[in-house]
Amino acid sequence: ANWEDGDDVIVSPALSNEEAEKLFPAGWNELKPYLRMTKQPNK
């Protein structure tokens, strides 16, 4: 609800780590096994 353009985004838990690596080559921060955050891709 308070997300602003440029903030980190959530990587869908439906994506495996292998699929996420292809979409987010810069990596992500895993807060919990089901909660991964990455930089907004188009920024």
Side-chain angles (χ1 to χ4, degrees), residues 1-29:
N2 62 353
W3 180 84
E4 294 188 21
D5 192 34
D7 287 350
D8 287 353
V9 296
I10 295 174
V11 177
S12 172
L15 290 175
S16 69
N17 283 343
E18 293 77 23
E19 293 169 318
E21 285 175 0
K22 293 176 188 172
L23 293 172
F24 308 106
W28 58 82
N29 182 21

Side-chain angles (χ1 to χ4, degrees), residues 23-40:
L23 293 172
F24 308 106
W28 58 82
N29 182 21
E30 188 170 311
L31 304 174
K32 303 271 185 183
Y34 55 86
L35 182 58
R36 301 172 289 182
M37 303 289 292
T38 190
K39 299 287 182 199
Q40 184 178 347

